[in-house]
Amino acid sequence: MGSGRMIIDEIKKELLEAENILNTEFSFELAEPNYIRCIELINANSDIKDDVEALIISMFEDKAVSSEPIAYLMYCLRWPRVKTWMEESLRNTPDAIATGAPMEKVIDAYDDDWENKEFYKSI
């Protein structure tokens, strides 16, 4: 297993742990250290950005993680590919009014005034 794959697996593990915290502790603040570790891993390994983007999109698409972990990461990273994917998915969702809120939450995180940033210490 290459080091890039190991880093991707570590990012996935952190996102799943954060999602578990959100689902059991209902705390953005307790999940934040997992997000910070993801950002640190991503920043230290910029050569795997495409793989991380694919991971984030697939985990969201598979409902392995909710919008909150991805919104936090995208508030910090501002990756256009993820935003474009969310926007296209929202446009192509036949019942977007009923089911598009998670995608809208991620798209909203690209705004400097993202409303959920107040729940976090590090941003």
Side-chain angles (χ1 to χ4, degrees):
M1 180 183 298
S3 64
R5 183 78 246 159
M6 291 171 59
I7 294 162
I8 293 293
D9 289 346
E10 185 63 25
I11 292 169
K12 182 177 182 178
K13 179 178 141 293
E14 293 294 342
L15 289 172
L16 291 173
E17 286 179 13
E19 188 66 26
N20 185 55
I21 290 167
L22 293 173
N23 290 333
T24 59
E25 303 292 328
F26 310 104
S27 171
F28 292 156
E29 189 176 313
L30 292 175
E32 188 173 20
N34 298 91
Y35 305 152
I36 292 169
R37 283 191 289 279
C38 286
I39 297 291
E40 289 169 350
L41 287 166
I42 290 165
N43 286 338
N45 299 280
S46 60
D47 58 314
I48 61 167
K49 177 184 176 198
D50 290 346
D51 294 331
V52 176
E53 286 176 324
L55 172 72
I56 288 169
I57 290 168
S58 71
M59 290 182 76
F60 181 80
E61 199 170 27
D62 295 343
K63 298 181 177 25
V65 294
S66 62
S67 59
E68 190 63 25
I70 296 170
Y72 182 100
L73 294 181
M74 291 307 105
Y75 178 80
C76 296
L77 298 169
R78 309 293 172 106
W79 286 348
R81 178 178 165 202
V82 174
K83 183 178 185 185
T84 299
W85 185 90
M86 292 290 172
E87 290 170 338
E88 288 175 5
S89 295
L90 187 59
R91 275 193 301 274
N92 294 323
T93 300
D95 56 347
I97 291 174
T99 63
M103 290 169 267
E104 289 175 355
K105 287 180 182 182
V106 175
I107 294 165
D108 289 347
Y110 284 80
D111 187 333
D112 289 338
D113 295 326
W114 178 47
E115 65 182 26
N116 283 13
K117 74 179 181 180
E118 70 184 58
F119 298 118
Y120 299 105
K121 293 179 182 178
S122 71
I123 56 174

Coordinates of all heavy atoms in Angstrom, one line a residue, residues 31-104:
A31 N -16.3 17.3 17.2 CA -15.9 16.7 15.9 C -14.7 17.5 15.3 O -14.0 17.0 14.4 CB -17.0 16.6 14.9
E32 N -14.6 18.8 15.7 CA -13.6 19.6 15.1 C -12.2 19.1 15.1 O -11.5 19.3 14.0 CB -13.6 21.0 15.7 CG -12.8 22.0 15.0 CD -13.0 23.5 15.5 OE1 -13.4 23.6 16.7 OE2 -12.6 24.4 14.8
P33 N -11.7 18.5 16.1 CA -10.3 17.9 16.0 C -10.1 17.0 14.9 O -9.0 16.9 14.3 CB -10.1 17.3 17.4 CG -11.0 18.0 18.3 CD -12.2 18.3 17.5
N34 N -11.1 16.2 14.5 CA -11.0 15.3 13.4 C -10.9 16.1 12.1 O -10.1 15.7 11.2 CB -12.3 14.4 13.3 CG -12.4 13.5 14.5 OD1 -13.0 13.9 15.5 ND2 -11.7 12.3 14.5
Y35 N -11.6 17.2 12.0 CA -11.6 18.0 10.8 C -10.2 18.6 10.7 O -9.6 18.7 9.6 CB -12.6 19.1 10.8 CG -14.0 18.7 11.0 CD1 -14.9 19.5 11.6 CD2 -14.5 17.5 10.6 CE1 -16.3 19.2 11.8 CE2 -15.8 17.1 10.7 CZ -16.7 18.0 11.3 OH -18.0 17.6 11.5
I36 N -9.7 19.1 11.8 CA -8.3 19.7 11.8 C -7.3 18.7 11.3 O -6.4 19.0 10.6 CB -8.0 20.3 13.2 CG1 -8.9 21.5 13.5 CG2 -6.5 20.7 13.3 CD1 -8.9 22.0 14.9
R37 N -7.4 17.5 11.8 CA -6.4 16.4 11.4 C -6.5 16.2 9.9 O -5.5 16.0 9.2 CB -6.6 15.1 12.2 CG -6.0 15.3 13.6 CD -5.9 13.9 14.3 NE -7.2 13.4 14.7 CZ -7.9 13.8 15.8 NH1 -7.4 14.7 16.6 NH2 -9.0 13.2 16.1
C38 N -7.7 16.2 9.4 CA -7.9 16.1 7.9 C -7.2 17.2 7.2 O -6.5 17.0 6.2 CB -9.4 16.1 7.5 SG -10.3 14.6 8.0
I39 N -7.4 18.4 7.6 CA -6.8 19.6 7.0 C -5.3 19.5 7.0 O -4.6 19.7 6.0 CB -7.3 20.9 7.6 CG1 -8.8 21.1 7.5 CG2 -6.5 22.1 7.1 CD1 -9.3 21.4 6.1
E40 N -4.8 19.1 8.2 CA -3.3 18.9 8.3 C -2.8 17.9 7.3 O -1.8 18.1 6.7 CB -3.0 18.6 9.7 CG -3.2 19.7 10.7 CD -3.1 19.3 12.2 OE1 -3.0 18.1 12.5 OE2 -3.0 20.2 13.0
L41 N -3.5 16.7 7.2 CA -3.1 15.7 6.3 C -3.1 16.2 4.9 O -2.2 15.9 4.1 CB -3.9 14.4 6.5 CG -3.7 13.6 7.8 CD1 -4.8 12.6 8.0 CD2 -2.3 12.9 7.6
I42 N -4.2 16.9 4.5 CA -4.4 17.4 3.2 C -3.3 18.4 2.8 O -2.6 18.3 1.8 CB -5.8 18.0 3.0 CG1 -6.8 16.8 3.0 CG2 -5.9 18.8 1.8 CD1 -8.2 17.3 3.3
N43 N -3.0 19.3 3.8 CA -2.0 20.4 3.5 C -0.6 19.8 3.4 O 0.2 20.3 2.6 CB -2.1 21.4 4.6 CG -3.3 22.3 4.4 OD1 -3.9 22.4 3.3 ND2 -3.7 23.0 5.5
A44 N -0.3 18.7 4.1 CA 1.0 18.1 4.1 C 1.2 17.2 2.8 O 2.3 16.7 2.6 CB 1.2 17.3 5.3
N45 N 0.1 16.9 2.1 CA 0.1 16.0 1.0 C -0.7 16.5 -0.2 O -1.6 15.8 -0.7 CB -0.4 14.6 1.5 CG 0.4 14.0 2.6 OD1 1.4 13.5 2.4 ND2 -0.1 14.2 3.8
S46 N -0.3 17.7 -0.6 CA -1.1 18.3 -1.7 C -1.1 17.5 -3.0 O -2.0 17.7 -3.9 CB -0.6 19.7 -2.0 OG 0.8 19.7 -2.4
D47 N -0.2 16.6 -3.1 CA -0.1 15.7 -4.3 C -1.2 14.8 -4.5 O -1.4 14.2 -5.5 CB 1.3 15.0 -4.4 CG 1.5 14.1 -3.2 OD1 1.3 14.6 -2.1 OD2 1.9 13.0 -3.4
I48 N -2.0 14.6 -3.4 CA -3.1 13.6 -3.5 C -4.5 14.3 -3.5 O -5.5 13.7 -3.2 CB -3.1 12.6 -2.3 CG1 -3.1 13.2 -1.0 CG2 -1.8 11.7 -2.5 CD1 -3.4 12.2 0.2
K49 N -4.5 15.6 -3.8 CA -5.7 16.4 -3.8 C -6.8 15.8 -4.6 O -7.9 15.7 -4.1 CB -5.4 17.8 -4.3 CG -6.7 18.7 -4.4 CD -6.4 20.1 -5.0 CE -7.7 20.8 -5.1 NZ -7.6 21.9 -6.1
D50 N -6.5 15.3 -5.8 CA -7.5 14.7 -6.7 C -8.2 13.5 -6.0 O -9.4 13.3 -6.0 CB -7.0 14.3 -8.0 CG -6.6 15.5 -8.9 OD1 -7.0 16.6 -8.6 OD2 -5.9 15.3 -9.9
D51 N -7.3 12.7 -5.3 CA -7.8 11.5 -4.6 C -8.7 11.9 -3.4 O -9.7 11.3 -3.1 CB -6.7 10.6 -4.2 CG -5.9 10.0 -5.4 OD1 -6.6 9.8 -6.4 OD2 -4.7 9.7 -5.2
V52 N -8.3 13.0 -2.7 CA -9.1 13.4 -1.6 C -10.4 14.0 -2.0 O -11.4 13.7 -1.4 CB -8.3 14.5 -0.7 CG1 -9.1 15.0 0.4 CG2 -7.0 13.9 -0.2
E53 N -10.4 14.7 -3.1 CA -11.7 15.3 -3.7 C -12.6 14.1 -4.0 O -13.8 14.1 -3.7 CB -11.4 16.1 -4.9 CG -10.8 17.5 -4.6 CD -10.5 18.2 -5.9 OE1 -10.0 17.6 -6.8 OE2 -10.7 19.5 -5.8
A54 N -12.0 13.1 -4.7 CA -12.9 11.9 -5.1 C -13.4 11.2 -3.8 O -14.6 10.8 -3.8 CB -12.0 11.0 -5.9
L55 N -12.6 11.1 -2.8 CA -13.0 10.5 -1.5 C -14.2 11.3 -0.9 O -15.2 10.7 -0.5 CB -11.8 10.4 -0.6 CG -12.2 10.0 0.9 CD1 -12.6 8.5 0.9 CD2 -11.1 10.3 1.8
I56 N -14.0 12.6 -0.8 CA -15.0 13.4 -0.2 C -16.3 13.3 -0.9 O -17.4 13.1 -0.3 CB -14.5 14.9 -0.1 CG1 -13.4 15.0 0.9 CG2 -15.6 15.9 0.1 CD1 -12.7 16.3 0.9
I57 N -16.3 13.4 -2.2 CA -17.5 13.3 -3.1 C -18.1 11.9 -2.9 O -19.3 11.8 -2.7 CB -17.2 13.6 -4.5 CG1 -16.9 15.1 -4.7 CG2 -18.3 13.2 -5.4 CD1 -16.3 15.5 -6.0
S58 N -17.3 10.9 -2.9 CA -17.9 9.5 -2.8 C -18.5 9.3 -1.5 O -19.5 8.6 -1.4 CB -16.9 8.5 -3.2 OG -15.9 8.3 -2.2
M59 N -17.8 9.7 -0.4 CA -18.4 9.6 0.9 C -19.7 10.3 1.1 O -20.6 9.8 1.8 CB -17.4 10.0 2.0 CG -16.2 9.0 2.1 SD -15.0 9.5 3.4 CE -15.9 9.0 4.9
F60 N -19.8 11.5 0.5 CA -21.0 12.2 0.6 C -22.1 11.5 -0.2 O -23.2 11.3 0.2 CB -20.8 13.7 0.1 CG -22.1 14.5 0.1 CD1 -22.5 15.1 1.3 CD2 -22.8 14.7 -1.0 CE1 -23.6 15.9 1.4 CE2 -24.0 15.5 -1.0 CZ -24.4 16.1 0.2
E61 N -21.8 11.1 -1.4 CA -22.7 10.5 -2.3 C -23.2 9.2 -1.7 O -24.4 8.9 -1.9 CB -22.0 10.2 -3.7 CG -22.9 10.0 -4.8 CD -22.1 9.9 -6.1 OE1 -20.9 9.6 -6.2 OE2 -22.7 10.2 -7.2
D62 N -22.4 8.4 -1.1 CA -22.7 7.2 -0.4 C -23.4 7.4 0.9 O -23.7 6.4 1.6 CB -21.5 6.3 -0.3 CG -20.9 5.9 -1.6 OD1 -21.6 6.0 -2.6 OD2 -19.7 5.4 -1.6
K63 N -23.5 8.6 1.4 CA -24.1 9.0 2.7 C -23.3 8.4 3.8 O -23.8 8.2 4.9 CB -25.6 8.6 2.7 CG -26.4 9.3 1.7 CD -27.9 8.9 1.8 CE -28.8 9.6 0.9 NZ -28.4 10.2 -0.3
A64 N -22.0 8.2 3.6 CA -21.1 7.8 4.7 C -20.8 8.9 5.7 O -20.6 8.7 6.8 CB -19.8 7.2 4.1
V65 N -20.9 10.2 5.1 CA -20.7 11.4 5.9 C -21.8 12.4 5.5 O -22.3 12.4 4.4 CB -19.4 12.0 5.8 CG1 -18.3 11.2 6.4 CG2 -19.0 12.5 4.4
S66 N -22.2 13.2 6.5 CA -23.2 14.2 6.2 C -22.6 15.4 5.6 O -21.4 15.5 5.4 CB -23.9 14.5 7.5 OG -23.0 15.1 8.4
S67 N -23.3 16.5 5.4 CA -22.8 17.7 4.8 C -21.9 18.4 5.8 O -21.0 19.1 5.3 CB -24.0 18.6 4.5 OG -24.8 18.9 5.6
E68 N -22.0 18.3 7.1 CA -21.2 19.1 8.0 C -19.7 18.9 7.9 O -19.0 19.9 7.8 CB -21.7 18.9 9.4 CG -21.1 19.9 10.4 CD -21.5 21.4 10.1 OE1 -22.5 21.6 9.5 OE2 -20.7 22.3 10.5
P69 N -19.2 17.7 7.9 CA -17.8 17.5 7.8 C -17.3 18.1 6.4 O -16.2 18.7 6.4 CB -17.5 16.0 7.8 CG -18.7 15.5 8.6 CD -19.9 16.4 8.2
I70 N -18.0 17.9 5.4 CA -17.6 18.3 4.1 C -17.6 19.9 4.0 O -16.8 20.5 3.5 CB -18.4 17.7 3.0 CG1 -18.1 16.2 3.0 CG2 -18.0 18.3 1.6 CD1 -19.0 15.3 2.1
A71 N -18.7 20.4 4.6 CA -18.8 21.9 4.6 C -17.6 22.5 5.4 O -17.0 23.5 4.9 CB -20.1 22.3 5.3
Y72 N -17.3 21.9 6.5 CA -16.1 22.4 7.3 C -14.8 22.4 6.4 O -14.1 23.4 6.3 CB -15.9 21.6 8.5 CG -14.8 22.1 9.4 CD1 -15.0 22.9 10.5 CD2 -13.4 21.8 9.1 CE1 -14.0 23.4 11.3 CE2 -12.4 22.3 9.9 CZ -12.7 23.1 11.0 OH -11.7 23.5 11.8
L73 N -14.6 21.3 5.8 CA -13.4 21.1 5.0 C -13.4 22.1 3.8 O -12.4 22.8 3.5 CB -13.2 19.7 4.4 CG -12.9 18.6 5.5 CD1 -12.8 17.3 4.8 CD2 -11.7 18.9 6.3
M74 N -14.6 22.3 3.2 CA -14.6 23.2 2.0 C -14.6 24.6 2.4 O -14.1 25.5 1.7 CB -15.9 22.9 1.2 CG -15.8 21.5 0.5 SD -14.3 21.3 -0.5 CE -13.3 20.2 0.5
Y75 N -15.1 25.0 3.6 CA -14.9 26.3 4.1 C -13.4 26.6 4.2 O -13.0 27.7 3.8 CB -15.6 26.5 5.5 CG -15.4 27.9 6.0 CD1 -16.1 29.0 5.6 CD2 -14.4 28.2 7.0 CE1 -16.0 30.2 6.0 CE2 -14.2 29.5 7.4 CZ -15.0 30.5 7.0 OH -14.8 31.8 7.4
C76 N -12.6 25.7 4.7 CA -11.2 25.9 4.8 C -10.4 25.8 3.5 O -9.5 26.5 3.2 CB -10.6 24.8 5.8 SG -11.3 25.0 7.5
L77 N -10.8 24.8 2.7 CA -10.0 24.5 1.5 C -10.5 25.2 0.2 O -9.7 25.5 -0.7 CB -10.1 23.0 1.2 CG -9.4 22.1 2.3 CD1 -9.8 20.7 2.1 CD2 -7.9 22.4 2.4
R78 N -11.8 25.5 0.1 CA -12.4 26.2 -1.1 C -12.1 25.5 -2.4 O -11.8 26.1 -3.4 CB -12.0 27.6 -1.1 CG -12.2 28.4 0.2 CD -13.7 28.6 0.5 NE -13.8 29.1 1.8 CZ -14.2 30.4 2.1 NH1 -14.5 31.2 1.1 NH2 -14.3 30.8 3.3
W79 N -12.2 24.2 -2.4 CA -11.9 23.4 -3.7 C -13.0 23.6 -4.7 O -14.2 23.1 -4.4 CB -11.6 22.0 -3.4 CG -10.3 21.7 -2.7 CD1 -9.3 22.6 -2.6 CD2 -9.9 20.5 -2.1 NE1 -8.2 22.0 -2.0 CE2 -8.6 20.7 -1.7 CE3 -10.5 19.2 -1.9 CZ2 -7.9 19.7 -1.0 CZ3 -9.8 18.2 -1.3 CH2 -8.5 18.5 -0.9
P80 N -12.8 24.1 -5.9 CA -13.8 24.3 -6.8 C -14.5 23.0 -7.3 O -15.7 23.0 -7.6 CB -13.1 25.1 -8.0 CG -11.7 25.3 -7.6 CD -11.5 24.6 -6.3
R81 N -13.7 22.0 -7.5 CA -14.3 20.7 -8.0 C -15.4 20.2 -7.1 O -16.4 19.7 -7.6 CB -13.2 19.7 -8.1 CG -13.7 18.3 -8.6 CD -12.6 17.3 -8.8 NE -13.1 16.0 -9.0 CZ -12.3 14.9 -8.7 NH1 -11.1 15.0 -8.3 NH2 -12.9 13.7 -8.9
V82 N -15.2 20.3 -5.8 CA -16.3 19.8 -4.9 C -17.5 20.7 -5.0 O -18.6 20.2 -5.1 CB -15.7 19.7 -3.4 CG1 -16.9 19.4 -2.5 CG2 -14.6 18.7 -3.3
K83 N -17.3 22.0 -5.0 CA -18.4 22.9 -5.2 C -19.2 22.7 -6.5 O -20.4 22.6 -6.5 CB -17.9 24.4 -5.1 CG -19.1 25.4 -5.1 CD -18.6 26.8 -5.0 CE -19.8 27.8 -5.0 NZ -19.3 29.2 -5.0
T84 N -18.4 22.6 -7.6 CA -19.1 22.3 -8.9 C -19.9 21.0 -8.8 O -21.0 21.0 -9.3 CB -18.0 22.2 -10.0 OG1 -17.3 23.5 -10.0 CG2 -18.6 21.9 -11.3
W85 N -19.3 20.0 -8.2 CA -20.0 18.7 -8.1 C -21.3 18.9 -7.3 O -22.4 18.4 -7.7 CB -19.1 17.6 -7.5 CG -19.8 16.3 -7.4 CD1 -19.7 15.3 -8.4 CD2 -20.7 15.8 -6.4 NE1 -20.5 14.2 -8.1 CE2 -21.1 14.5 -6.9 CE3 -21.1 16.2 -5.2 CZ2 -21.9 13.7 -6.1 CZ3 -22.0 15.5 -4.5 CH2 -22.4 14.2 -4.9
M86 N -21.2 19.6 -6.2 CA -22.4 19.9 -5.4 C -23.5 20.6 -6.2 O -24.7 20.3 -6.1 CB -22.1 20.6 -4.1 CG -21.3 19.8 -3.1 SD -22.2 18.5 -2.3 CE -20.8 17.7 -1.5
E87 N -23.1 21.7 -6.9 CA -24.0 22.5 -7.7 C -24.7 21.7 -8.8 O -25.9 21.8 -9.0 CB -23.3 23.7 -8.2 CG -22.9 24.7 -7.2 CD -21.9 25.8 -7.7 OE1 -21.2 25.6 -8.8 OE2 -21.9 26.8 -7.1
E88 N -23.9 20.9 -9.5 CA -24.4 20.0 -10.5 C -25.4 19.0 -10.0 O -26.4 18.7 -10.5 CB -23.3 19.4 -11.3 CG -22.6 20.3 -12.2 CD -21.4 19.7 -12.9 OE1 -21.1 18.5 -12.8 OE2 -20.7 20.5 -13.6
S89 N -25.0 18.4 -8.8 CA -25.9 17.4 -8.2 C -27.2 18.0 -7.8 O -28.2 17.4 -8.0 CB -25.2 16.8 -7.0 OG -24.1 16.0 -7.4
L90 N -27.1 19.2 -7.2 CA -28.3 19.9 -6.8 C -29.2 20.2 -8.0 O -30.4 20.0 -8.0 CB -27.9 21.2 -6.1 CG -29.1 22.0 -5.5 CD1 -29.8 21.2 -4.4 CD2 -28.5 23.3 -4.8
R91 N -28.6 20.7 -9.1 CA -29.4 21.0 -10.3 C -30.0 19.7 -10.9 O -31.1 19.8 -11.5 CB -28.5 21.6 -11.4 CG -28.3 23.1 -11.3 CD -27.7 23.7 -12.5 NE -26.4 23.2 -12.8 CZ -25.3 23.6 -12.3 NH1 -25.3 24.6 -11.5 NH2 -24.1 23.1 -12.7
N92 N -29.4 18.6 -10.8 CA -29.8 17.4 -11.4 C -30.7 16.5 -10.4 O -31.1 15.4 -10.8 CB -28.7 16.5 -11.9 CG -27.9 17.2 -13.0 OD1 -28.6 17.8 -13.8 ND2 -26.6 17.1 -13.0
T93 N -31.0 17.0 -9.3 CA -31.9 16.3 -8.3 C -33.3 16.7 -8.6 O -33.7 17.9 -8.5 CB -31.5 16.7 -6.9 OG1 -30.1 16.4 -6.6 CG2 -32.4 16.0 -5.9
P94 N -34.1 15.8 -9.0 CA -35.5 16.1 -9.4 C -36.3 16.7 -8.2 O -37.2 17.5 -8.5 CB -36.1 14.8 -9.8 CG -35.1 13.7 -9.6 CD -33.8 14.4 -9.1
D95 N -36.0 16.3 -7.0 CA -36.8 16.8 -5.9 C -35.8 17.7 -5.0 O -35.8 17.5 -3.8 CB -37.4 15.7 -5.1 CG -36.4 14.6 -4.7 OD1 -35.2 14.6 -5.2 OD2 -36.7 13.8 -3.8
A96 N -35.1 18.6 -5.6 CA -34.1 19.4 -4.9 C -34.7 20.2 -3.7 O -34.0 20.3 -2.7 CB -33.4 20.3 -5.9
I97 N -35.9 20.6 -3.9 CA -36.5 21.4 -2.7 C -36.6 20.5 -1.5 O -36.4 20.9 -0.4 CB -37.9 22.0 -3.2 CG1 -37.6 23.1 -4.2 CG2 -38.6 22.5 -2.0 CD1 -38.9 23.6 -4.8
A98 N -37.0 19.3 -1.7 CA -37.1 18.3 -0.6 C -35.8 17.7 -0.1 O -35.7 17.5 1.1 CB -38.1 17.2 -1.0
T99 N -34.9 17.4 -1.0 CA -33.7 16.7 -0.6 C -32.4 17.4 -0.9 O -31.3 16.8 -0.6 CB -33.7 15.3 -1.4 OG1 -33.6 15.6 -2.8 CG2 -34.9 14.5 -1.1
G100 N -32.4 18.6 -1.4 CA -31.2 19.3 -1.7 C -30.5 20.0 -0.6 O -29.4 20.6 -0.8
A101 N -31.1 20.1 0.6 CA -30.5 20.8 1.7 C -29.0 20.5 2.0 O -28.2 21.4 2.2 CB -31.3 20.7 2.9
P102 N -28.7 19.2 2.1 CA -27.3 18.9 2.4 C -26.3 19.4 1.3 O -25.2 19.9 1.7 CB -27.2 17.3 2.3 CG -28.6 16.9 2.7 CD -29.5 18.0 2.0
M103 N -26.6 19.4 0.1 CA -25.8 20.0 -1.0 C -25.7 21.5 -0.8 O -24.6 22.1 -0.9 CB -26.3 19.6 -2.3 CG -26.1 18.1 -2.6 SD -26.9 17.6 -4.2 CE -28.5 17.0 -3.5
E104 N -26.8 22.1 -0.5 CA -26.9 23.6 -0.3 C -26.0 24.0 0.9 O -25.3 25.0 0.9 CB -28.3 24.1 -0.1 CG -29.1 24.0 -1.3 CD -30.6 24.4 -1.1 OE1 -31.0 24.6 0.1 OE2 -31.3 24.5 -2.0

